[in-house]
Amino acid sequence: MFGAGGGTSSYREVGETDVVFLWGANARENHPIFFHHVLKAIHRGAKLFTMDPRRTSTAQWAEAWLGLNVGTDIALAHAMARVIIHRGLVNRAFVDNATEGFEAYRDCVERYPLDYAEKVTGVPADVIERAAVAYAQADRAVICWTLGITEHHNAVDNVLSLINLGLLTGHVGRYGSGLNPLRGQNNVQGGGDMGAIPNRLAGFQDWTKDPAVKAKFEHAWGVTLEPKYGRNLTQMFEGMEHGQVRAVYAIGENPAHSEADQHRAERLLTGLDHLVVQDVLMTRTAELATVVLPASSSWCESEGTVTNSERRVQRVRKALDPPGNARDDRWIIGEIARRMGHDWNHPTAEQVWDEVRSLAPMVAGMSYSRLDQAGGLHWPCPDEKHPGEQFLHGRLWETPRRGPAAPFSVVEHDPPVEMPDADYPFQLTTGRRLDSYNTGVQTSGFTSPLRRGETIDVSPEDAISLGVTDGERVRITSRRGSVVAPIRIDQGLRAGLVFMTFHFQDEVKTNVLTIDAVDPKSGTAEFKACAVKIEPIASVTPVTA
């Protein structure tokens, strides 16, 4: 946020805040540990507002459920901002001291009155107003979001619209008020921190714009860095399609099942000259590979660190040796480097971490001994006397302000790329369940009393119009592919909206349906919205050869 790729608040602050917005985040099922902190706040008297097209189990705890139409988040956020401005609830002192671009933003949101927002989002105007006023008037308030905001073709703009609300009300940069993306997988935050993204090195440092950063890394590594960014995952697949990417090394990633438009993803992966997969299990991507490198399970078979959504860096300690021919990821990468002419002498995990500390100021003070003693530290932690920062951007409250102003962003509502029509009358949105993880590779190998197979969840109204009942198998078809799944009637869905997961790839390949429309700024595919039709199996006309 504002140049730092992490949430601004700690979990403890969430438990002590007054208003929580969970926006596009079914935290009760998808972030259950974090949700315990939300429950602490609720039990203290805090108000929870959930913004989600589905009435999820998270919404059951809410003061109000804002059941917006898929892809209308910006319209909803702007309508709230307009209410805050018109009601005189803007934190003018903060806006004047800490931000820039307010006038252009104010003019933008003026075009989103409540009656227009109700029409576009489907959320009653009085509920929008109540949520906006509660957020603006709260002493402390946090906005948390996840894939319901970011898996859209305008993902970055969605996030910016939420940041705008924080700036407008001064709910950032102080204890109990913040803006927090909830990471969807273990150590996603840590991956970004370490530079496993195409446009930053460790510590979110941009070598293309800062000569000192470039020189520092070149000196440490003994190489010359090209002043250009790499490709994100979407751009890699575009490169495969155009013959520009001919070899792929996939570490802990299963794009054959996790990418949108799955037929296209598998076609491009099988067309590579060379595909190397390094993973703990035999994923579908590994089945397509030229070479498979069995890796260690990092949570119990490796030494290292992990970073969670509150920017807390913690130690990971090895408890077991990897089984069979599996090897530690660090050893595998080191051996590949050695066989390519660069012998790194297999450094220990602590030695690798100390190199990171020497290059990334935000973790410079986090020695292994300090992490062990403290049980984890929040970055930034620039030296070994620094306690780590529990919340970010406190400088915005300093007078005079230290550092650059936080900018308001002018963004506009832009509906999903593919909307329902006469041929494909339902809108499919995808997500996760409490009992399963991602493409199911890690969770399908054991049973759970909570787990059921894949279904197509529909509203009671749609079940009646389709003439189907619970458990009846139907064919779901999009413009990209077709799958068969049983019906599940969900009282939390409105007519026209249907829901599936991608946990059960051996049963139902949900991502053959999804669209590969992507956000040009982040490279994220629009997993949350595509148009489908649903047909009872008995009514489907057989296709003759």
Side-chain angles (χ1 to χ4, degrees):
M1 230 79 63
F2 321 134
T8 70
S9 307
S10 65
Y11 290 168
R12 179 178 176 180
E13 292 171 72
V14 173
E16 298 179 5
T17 195
D18 301 312
V19 169
V20 178
F21 278 7
L22 285 180
W23 205 309
N26 182 13
R28 173 66 186 84
E29 295 194 33
N30 301 153
H31 300 85
I33 304 302
F34 167 82
F35 193 67
H36 282 295
H37 296 276
V38 176
L39 290 177
K40 288 180 183 178
I42 293 172
H43 293 321
R44 285 184 51 258
K47 295 179 179 179
L48 169 65
F49 294 85
T50 61
M51 294 73 172
D52 197 305
R54 299 186 299 136
R55 190 188 289 270
T56 64
S57 58
T58 301
Q60 295 173 10
W61 292 89
E63 173 85 6
W65 167 57
L66 284 72
L68 73 167
N69 295 324
V70 175
T72 62
D73 304 276
I74 291 173
L76 180 58
H78 282 3
M80 289 185 179
R82 187 179 184 275
V83 167
I84 291 167
I85 293 169
H86 279 247
R87 294 282 291 266
L89 299 175
V90 175
N91 190 321
R92 286 301 321 191
F94 179 81
V95 168
D96 293 343
N97 180 68
T99 74
E100 62 184 5
F102 171 72
E103 289 76 15
Y105 172 66
R106 179 190 59 202
D107 294 343
C108 171
V109 302
E110 187 62 27
R111 298 190 291 272
Y112 293 82
L114 285 171
D115 56 348
Y116 170 79
E118 179 173 338
K119 180 180 178 181
V120 171
T121 68
V123 181
D126 64 313
V127 179
I128 298 174
E129 186 170 28
R130 178 153 58 99
V133 171
Y135 177 74
Q137 290 183 335
D139 180 41
R140 299 171 175 177
V142 297
I143 301 178
C144 304
W145 66 90
T146 183
L147 303 180
I149 281 291
T150 56
E151 286 186 343
H152 289 276
H153 75 282
N154 54 348
V156 172
D157 288 353
N158 283 344
V159 172
L160 292 174
S161 73
L162 304 187
I163 293 174
N164 287 337
L165 289 176
L167 297 179
L168 190 65
T169 55
H171 282 313
V172 67
R174 55 192 178 89
Y175 189 89
S177 285
L179 299 159
N180 303 294
L182 305 179
R183 301 309 190 182
Q185 301 175 45
N186 184 42
N187 208 30
V188 165
Q189 182 66 55
D193 295 353
M194 296 302 100
I197 46 179
N199 58 350
R200 294 293 186 272
L201 296 173
F204 300 102
Q205 298 175 89
D206 190 339
W207 75 100
T208 70
K209 296 178 180 178
D210 189 332
V213 167
K214 185 173 184 288
K216 175 176 63 175
F217 279 90
E218 287 180 338
H219 175 74
W221 292 346
V223 298
T224 299
L225 299 176
E226 293 188 48
K228 65 178 183 179
Y229 296 146
R231 300 174 188 256
N232 60 39
L233 186 58
T234 298
Q235 292 166 337
M236 291 180 197
F237 274 91
E238 291 173 354
M240 294 180 215
E241 192 143 45
H242 296 102
Q244 300 162 339
V245 173
R246 302 303 310 152
V248 168
Y249 182 9
I251 306 177
E253 185 80 8
N254 186 22
H257 276 169
S258 62
E259 280 297 284
D261 194 352
Q262 192 168 321
H263 287 316
R264 172 179 177 265
E266 289 207 10
R267 172 174 56 82
L268 294 176
L269 289 169
T270 55
L272 291 168
D273 295 336
H274 195 61
L275 172 60
V276 179
V277 173
Q278 181 172 320
D279 217 317
V280 296
L281 295 168
M282 196 67 175
T283 66
R284 174 57 180 161
T285 308
E287 291 174 355
L288 304 176
T290 316
V291 177
V292 177
L293 302 172
S296 60
S297 186
S298 59
W299 68 274
C300 64
E301 297 169 354
S302 299
E303 293 284 332
T305 61
V306 63
T307 312
N308 67 5
S309 294
E310 62 170 351
R311 298 170 286 103
R312 183 190 294 272
V313 180
Q314 300 173 80
R315 286 271 284 112
V316 176
R317 298 165 184 82
K318 179 179 177 180
L320 301 169
D321 289 327
N325 291 323
R327 296 290 184 271
D328 189 290
D329 292 282
R330 183 167 27 88
W331 184 90
I332 295 172
I333 294 169
E335 277 298 295
I336 291 175
R338 184 179 66 82
R339 298 175 198 200
M340 295 175 69
H342 300 274
D343 192 348
W344 297 342
N345 296 315
H346 291 296
T348 66
E350 185 173 9
Q351 288 172 328
V352 173
W353 177 246
D354 285 341
E355 178 182 304
V356 172
R357 292 173 55 215
S358 72
L359 294 169
M362 75 179 200
V363 296
M366 296 184 180
S367 65
Y368 263 30
S369 60
R370 288 197 73 203
L371 292 175
D372 286 336
Q373 183 179 13
L377 293 167
H378 300 276
W379 64 253
C381 180
D383 59 65
E384 296 208 22
K385 293 183 179 180
H386 196 286
E389 291 195 18
Q390 193 168 21
F391 61 88
L392 298 181
H393 311 307
R395 67 174 184 82
L396 295 175
W397 290 91
E398 296 176 7
T399 306
R401 183 195 70 247
R402 177 169 49 89
F408 282 96
S409 300
V410 174
V411 295
E412 300 287 357
H413 166 61
D414 188 14
V417 170
E418 187 175 80
M419 295 294 287
D421 57 21
D423 294 325
Y424 299 89
F426 296 97
Q427 188 168 55
L428 171 66
T429 192
T430 63
R432 306 180 189 182
R433 299 185 201 153
L434 174 63
D435 58 87
S436 297
Y437 182 71
N438 280 10
T439 58
V441 175
Q442 296 183 60
T443 50
S444 61
F446 62 87
T447 60
S448 166
L450 301 176
R451 185 172 301 134
R452 51 184 171 80
E454 188 57 81
T455 57
I456 173 76
D457 295 1
V458 304
S459 70
E461 299 90 336
D462 287 333
I464 292 171
S465 67
L466 288 166
V468 295
T469 58
D470 252 333
E472 184 174 344
R473 293 174 67 78
V474 296
R475 181 169 296 280
I476 308 102
T477 305
S478 75
R479 290 179 173 85
R480 288 153 296 282
S482 181
V483 299
V484 173
I487 286 283
R488 177 178 175 271
I489 298 173
D490 184 352
Q491 301 289 340
L493 289 171
R494 293 169 299 167
L497 180 65
V498 298
F499 175 80
M500 297 181 74
T501 79
F502 44 92
H503 297 320
F504 305 94
Q505 294 288 335
D506 291 337
E507 301 174 15
V508 181
K509 298 182 183 298
T510 300
N511 275 339
V512 305
L513 304 172
T514 51
I515 187 171
D516 63 348
V518 297
D519 176 25
K521 298 176 183 177
S522 67
T524 306
E526 192 156 63
F527 289 98
K528 296 303 181 190
C530 73
V532 299
K533 62 181 177 181
I534 301 172
E535 302 166 285
I537 295 294
S539 69
V540 177
T541 303
V543 178
T544 57

